[in-house]
Amino acid sequence: MDDDVRLSEGEERLGGWLREESGRGILVGFSGGVDSAYLACVAVAVLGPDRVLAVIGRSPSFSAEQRTIAHDVAERFAIPYVEIETRELADARYVANPSNRCYYCKTELWSRLAPLAAERGLLLVDGTNADDLADYRPGAAAGRERGVRSPLAECDLSKADIRALSRRRGLPTAALPASPCLASRLPYGTAVTADRLARVERAERALRDLGVVGDLRVRFQGDLARVELRPSELDRWMEPDAAERLRAAVVSAGFRRVAVDLRGFRSGSLNVLAGVGSGVGG
Amino acid sequence: MSGAEAAHGPVGGGERLRRALADRGFDVDVEIDGTLAVLRLAAQGLNGPALADPAARADVVRLGREAGFTHVALELAPPVEHIDAAASVDDASVHRPDARG
């Protein structure tokens, strides 16, 4: 089947799903990322703005950059939105940073969004896509426990489909690199604190200001920051003068030592590190 | 081996990696954190310009993998401070062992 046709059919399925399943409307957990931005945008087009509410959960693990993108997308595409504060850092189980940390974060998020949805008679939905179903995502369990539906996954839309459909709609998120929360930069078992999250955020901001483009992660390894860049950027920033500017930028964000991962960016990079946190810094 | 090998790293992996890199002319210090190896190029000069070459980096990553590491990172050294030895060392501060002793 022609790819354009297949994509159009996918979006039609989503539209049908929204009309049939949403009742009085939807309340979408909204990060301004590729998936939730597309979902909210289609929902506004299909249901109308009065039946859609996007909710941004604000906390130290949600970067200021991502928050700005979320606001910009909502404003530009007339998506009604509110912002609420979430307090996952007050939950010792989250702070301990176990491998199912996302479960506690999403439990906090949905426990705050569920009453809002109930008050307004809206269906709670998230931006989980079809590819996500194959990943290890403990946060999804928290959503299921609260009856959160995932229209993109239920309509079998993959990440690539969503990017292509976002491009059609002129969404600036179409080419946005994946942007998991800042806590994902800390190895499991390393306590999540506001200070550490802020340090990672400052370092990534400093590198963006320096001109680093594409996928970027500053991985927290105690007093050492392990920087992951996409391969083409790695070529550029490993040149001695550039490397020194990169090092200085990360040090200015509060890390004592800076290392560049020689393989470059890997999604879920910390998941494959075993026994980290014992030998590098404190 | 030079460098600290912490618990939980691949057994002997740091030394294997250090030797393999030495065979390629890299004088490195290997610091281990779990399955992460952090390299410091002791004698290679500022930030090891040789690793600006993608093929050289790929080779180092491969050697790291063979030594049991999932991640290999190069620590960026701060700039070397150049000290004007003549100006900073006055005669009075020089320790002079007694020739008679």
Side-chain angles (χ1 to χ4, degrees), chain B residues 10-21 63 66-68:
Chain B
V11 176
E15 180 60 15
R16 280 202 303 281
L17 179 57
R18 193 189 66 75
R19 282 187 188 158
L21 291 169
L63 292 173
E66 286 172 4

Side-chain angles (χ1 to χ4, degrees), chain A residues 235 257-258 260 266 269 277, chain B residues 33 57 70-71 74-76:
Chain A
D235 294 347
R257 301 164 59 199
V258 184
V260 175
R266 270 185 275 181
S269 165
Chain B
D33 189 7
R57 285 200 306 273
T70 58
H71 295 68
L74 175 69
E75 182 167 354
L76 303 179

Side-chain angles (χ1 to χ4, degrees), chain A residues 37-123:
Chain A
Y38 172 71
L39 174 59
C41 191
V42 173
V44 166
V46 170
L47 303 173
D50 294 341
R51 293 173 62 197
V52 177
L53 181 62
V55 183
I56 301 168
R58 186 183 63 232
S59 81
S61 67
F62 189 59
S63 73
E65 181 185 17
Q66 190 61 38
R67 188 176 164 212
T68 300
I69 292 169
H71 286 189
D72 288 350
V73 168
E75 296 284 348
R76 193 168 144 196
F77 291 85
I79 301 165
Y81 71 99
V82 294
E83 203 173 79
I84 61 162
E85 189 180 347
T86 61
R87 295 183 182 160
E88 59 271 22
L89 281 169
D91 183 345
R93 296 167 302 177
Y94 172 86
V95 171
N97 199 7
S99 59
N100 66 340
R101 177 197 66 234
C102 297
Y103 173 81
Y104 299 110
C105 178
K106 295 298 184 191
T107 295
E108 163 68 4
L109 176 71
W110 297 122
S111 71
R112 293 190 181 269
L113 267 54
L116 273 180
E119 272 170 28
R120 292 166 170 76
L122 301 174
L123 180 71

Side-chain angles (χ1 to χ4, degrees), chain A:
Chain A
M1 185 191 298
D2 180 88
D3 209 41
D4 268 355
V5 174
R6 189 185 60 76
L7 287 170
S8 297
E9 287 182 358
E11 190 163 284
E12 281 168 26
R13 272 199 309 281
L14 178 61
W17 190 101
L18 289 165
R19 277 187 289 271
E20 288 165 23
E21 302 285 339
S22 65
R24 288 168 61 182
I26 63 163
L27 186 152
V28 56
F30 187 72
S31 67
V34 180
D35 303 315
S36 62
Y38 172 71
L39 174 59
C41 191
V42 173
V44 166
V46 170
L47 303 173
D50 294 341
R51 293 173 62 197
V52 177
L53 181 62
V55 183
I56 301 168
R58 186 183 63 232
S59 81
S61 67
F62 189 59
S63 73
E65 181 185 17
Q66 190 61 38
R67 188 176 164 212
T68 300
I69 292 169
H71 286 189
D72 288 350
V73 168
E75 296 284 348
R76 193 168 144 196
F77 291 85
I79 301 165
Y81 71 99
V82 294
E83 203 173 79
I84 61 162
E85 189 180 347
T86 61
R87 295 183 182 160
E88 59 271 22
L89 281 169
D91 183 345
R93 296 167 302 177
Y94 172 86
V95 171
N97 199 7
S99 59
N100 66 340
R101 177 197 66 234
C102 297
Y103 173 81
Y104 299 110
C105 178
K106 295 298 184 191
T107 295
E108 163 68 4
L109 176 71
W110 297 122
S111 71
R112 293 190 181 269
L113 267 54
L116 273 180
E119 272 170 28
R120 292 166 170 76
L122 301 174
L123 180 71
L124 264 181
V125 299
D126 71 5
T128 300
N129 66 53
D131 294 336
D132 295 335
L133 300 180
D135 279 354
Y136 172 59
R137 289 188 177 249
R144 282 195 300 274
E145 287 171 8
R146 279 155 188 79
V148 177
R149 301 281 298 272
S150 303
L152 299 173
E154 291 186 36
C155 292
D156 200 28
L157 289 169
S158 69
K159 190 76 164 190
D161 294 340
I162 294 161
R163 286 192 187 278
L165 289 164
S166 297
R167 249 189 310 278
R168 279 189 185 177
R169 288 181 170 270
L171 276 160
T173 48
L176 202 67
S179 51
C181 81
L182 293 168
S184 68
R185 276 53 152 192
L186 276 61
Y188 293 136
T190 297
V192 182
T193 67
D195 171 69
R196 288 171 174 175
L197 296 172
R199 213 185 316 171
V200 166
E201 184 174 13
R202 282 196 304 271
E204 291 189 358
R205 182 70 264 153
L207 293 177
R208 292 292 188 209
D209 290 346
L210 202 58
V212 171
V213 296
D215 290 309
L216 162 70
R217 300 284 186 277
V218 172
R219 307 287 188 188
F220 180 96
Q221 317 264 180
D223 64 358
L224 180 134
R226 181 168 55 84
V227 179
E228 291 184 356
L229 308 170
R230 73 180 186 194
S232 58
E233 284 291 278
L234 203 48
D235 294 347
R236 179 178 157 212
W237 291 102
M238 289 297 286
E239 292 294 337
D241 289 348
E244 172 48 23
R245 283 187 286 130
L246 183 144
R247 189 198 67 81
V250 177
V251 166
S252 74
F255 286 96
R256 196 168 65 80
R257 301 164 59 199
V258 184
V260 175
D261 192 287
L262 294 177
R263 186 165 146 184
F265 169 74
R266 270 185 275 181
S267 179
S269 165
L270 285 173
N271 294 347
V272 294
L273 266 177
V276 289
S278 52
V280 178

